[in-house]
Structures are given as C-alpha cells and as structure tokens.
C-alpha cells in the first residue's frame, strides 16, 4: 500500500506551488484562525502579512497560487480564505498518523490535543522497548515496533512520526518506507537517507535552540556567562 501524502492535493489540482510557499501556508492559516477567534471577518493583505512577518507582496504572490480570493478595497474574507488554504493543504480530511518512539518526546506528541483539531489522527503508538509496550498514552496502548506492518495493513497510515534516539532513526525510516509510508516527520537529531518519492520533514530542537542562542548573543544578552574552560596543562 502506498499512502497518499498531504502534498497530493496541490499536485492533483495541477498547480506547481513552490516549497517556500507551501511552508508559509500553515502560518497564514494560523493567523487567519486567530483573527476569526477575535471576531474579525475581513483583513487586508498588509494585516495578514504583518501577522506572519512577511511583506504583503510575498503574501499576495503566495495566495495567487491558490486563486483570486481578495477584493480590492475590502481585503480577504477571513473564513473563506481559511477554508481555501485548509483545502489546499489537505486539512479537509483525516490524516492517520503513527508515532514511533514513546519516550519523553513521544509521550508529549501522543498527548498533544492539537493534532485532532488540525486534521491529524494518531492511530498507533509504537516502541521497541518492552517496558513501554502496553502502556496507555493519550488514550492509545503502546504496541511493539514489530507490529508496524500489521498497523499499516489494518488501515491506511498517511504519516509516520519518528521520535526515537538518533541511532535508531534510520532503521525506523527504512521500515516505515518498506511498509508504504512515504510522508515522515523526523524529530531524531540525524539526517535520514530515503528513496525518491519519500517526503521527510526534520524538526531538530537543538538546532532551533542554537539559532536562538546566536540571536541572543547578537543582542549582547547579560543573562549568560562564558563557558569555563579547563586550563591547559
């Protein structure tokens, strides 16, 4: 079985949307959702662009790939534009997700309530550690990693999430791909080798912290001290 990936919606529509634009669409959707929650029905391109920290020309270019949804002198209808972006991303349907690695991070992901409201349904939790198997996390019972193929055979799995240590991640991705899962979110701090046609998004928390440390250092932050180094012999 080959899982349908979230990117298929844009491909099926016959539009070649740049990856940079695809990466910004969820940011626009989040900003529009916040506007709707405040009872705001329309917004200008300048207002929406400011909410996601891009310039309005880039925003209008991004949205042009989806169609023409703005009205000159009025702006964008918040609910309608939200619907169109959600449809383009693929959030008008349910995306079944399996999480592999139920350590501290895997626990947090399994317990995250936001997946369901955004179109993602965690259908299985897998781990190779015997002591974690049969534990209930986020309403699901952790199953042995060797059950992966049976989980996929039982029903379609669109996305695999890897939350294992780095040393186990390549074996996990190889098994996911062999089972037919071709969209993978990787939290393991390592680069994965995958065949053509497999989409991998990497989330490396340590790199994000290092980037923040760079910016904090540029600000001349007084809250940290230089690391003490051993005196040379």
């Amino acid at each position: 079985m080959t899982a349908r990936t979230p990117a298929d919606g844009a491909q099926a529509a016959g539009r070649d949307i740049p990856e940079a634009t695809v990466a910004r669409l969820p940011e626009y959707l989040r900003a529009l959702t916040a506007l709707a929650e405040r009872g705001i029905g329309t917004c200008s391109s300048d207002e929406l662009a400011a909410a996601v920290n891009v310039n309005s020309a880039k925003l209008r270019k991004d949205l042009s790939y989806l169609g023409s949804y703005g009205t000159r002198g009025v702006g964008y209808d918040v609910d309608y534009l939200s619907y169109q972006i959600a449809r383009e991303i693929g959030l008008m349907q349910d995306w079944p997700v399996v999480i592999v690695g139920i350590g501290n991070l895997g626990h947090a992901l399994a317990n995250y309530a936001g997946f369901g409201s955004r179109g993602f349904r965690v259908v299985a939790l897998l781990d190779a550690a015997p002591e974690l198997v049969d534990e209930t996390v986020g309403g699901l019972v952790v199953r042995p990693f060797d059950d992966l193929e049976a989980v996929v055979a039982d029903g379609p799995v669109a996305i695999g999430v890897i939350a294992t240590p780095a040393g186990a991640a390549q074996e996990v991705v190889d098994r996911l791909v062999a089972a037919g899962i071709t969209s993978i979110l990787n939290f393991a701090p390592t680069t994965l080798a995958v065949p053509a046609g497999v989409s991998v998004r990497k989330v490396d928390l340590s790199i994000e912290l290092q980037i923040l440390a760079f910016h904090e250092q540029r600000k001349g932050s007084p809250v940290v001290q230089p690391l003490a180094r051993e005196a040379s012999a």
Side-chain angles (χ1 to χ4, degrees):
M1 183 199 74
T2 299
R4 184 179 185 275
T5 68
D8 288 343
Q11 294 170 352
R15 292 186 295 275
D16 185 14
I17 302 178
E19 281 296 318
T21 295
V22 173
R24 286 189 290 269
L25 291 179
E27 296 290 337
Y28 299 148
L29 182 58
R30 180 166 58 183
L32 288 164
T33 300
L35 290 173
E37 290 172 349
R38 290 161 49 197
I40 298 174
T42 60
C43 68
S44 68
S45 58
D46 287 339
E47 290 168 332
L48 184 54
V52 294
N53 198 30
V54 300
N55 64 62
S56 58
K58 179 177 291 185
L59 177 134
R60 287 192 294 270
K61 179 66 173 178
D62 287 342
L63 296 183
S64 72
Y65 291 106
L66 279 62
S68 179
Y69 301 118
T71 302
R72 186 178 297 276
V74 176
Y76 298 103
D77 181 288
V78 169
D79 289 339
Y80 186 64
L81 184 56
S82 296
Y83 168 80
Q84 294 298 339
I85 293 177
R87 181 177 61 85
E88 190 68 43
I89 295 174
L91 301 186
M92 307 310 294
Q93 57 189 304
D94 204 25
W95 294 105
V97 175
V98 60
I99 299 175
V100 182
I102 313 302
N104 291 335
L105 177 57
H107 267 77
L109 294 172
N111 281 303
Y112 177 53
F115 287 139
S117 64
R118 290 167 172 81
F120 302 94
R121 175 172 51 93
V122 179
V123 297
L125 307 176
L126 304 175
D127 202 289
E131 64 271 19
L132 293 176
V133 172
D134 293 331
E135 179 181 344
T136 299
V137 182
L140 292 173
V141 176
V142 179
R143 299 174 59 172
F145 179 54
D146 283 340
D147 283 1
L148 170 63
E149 288 75 15
V151 167
V152 175
D154 286 344
V157 176
I159 300 170
V161 177
I162 299 176
T164 67
Q170 186 61 53
E171 177 185 355
V172 170
V173 78
D174 290 343
R175 289 276 296 273
L176 289 172
V177 171
I181 299 173
T182 57
S183 290
I184 295 164
L185 181 62
N186 176 35
F187 283 91
T190 187
T191 299
L192 301 174
V194 296
V198 175
S199 301
V200 177
R201 297 287 297 180
K202 181 179 179 182
V203 181
D204 192 323
L205 300 180
S206 65
I207 286 179
E208 298 304 320
L209 287 171
Q210 289 171 40
I211 292 171
L212 288 174
F214 168 81
H215 290 296
E216 194 67 14
Q217 179 175 260
R218 285 292 185 93
K219 299 173 191 173
S221 174
V223 300
V224 292
Q225 298 294 326
L227 289 173
R229 301 187 181 278
E230 294 182 4
S232 57

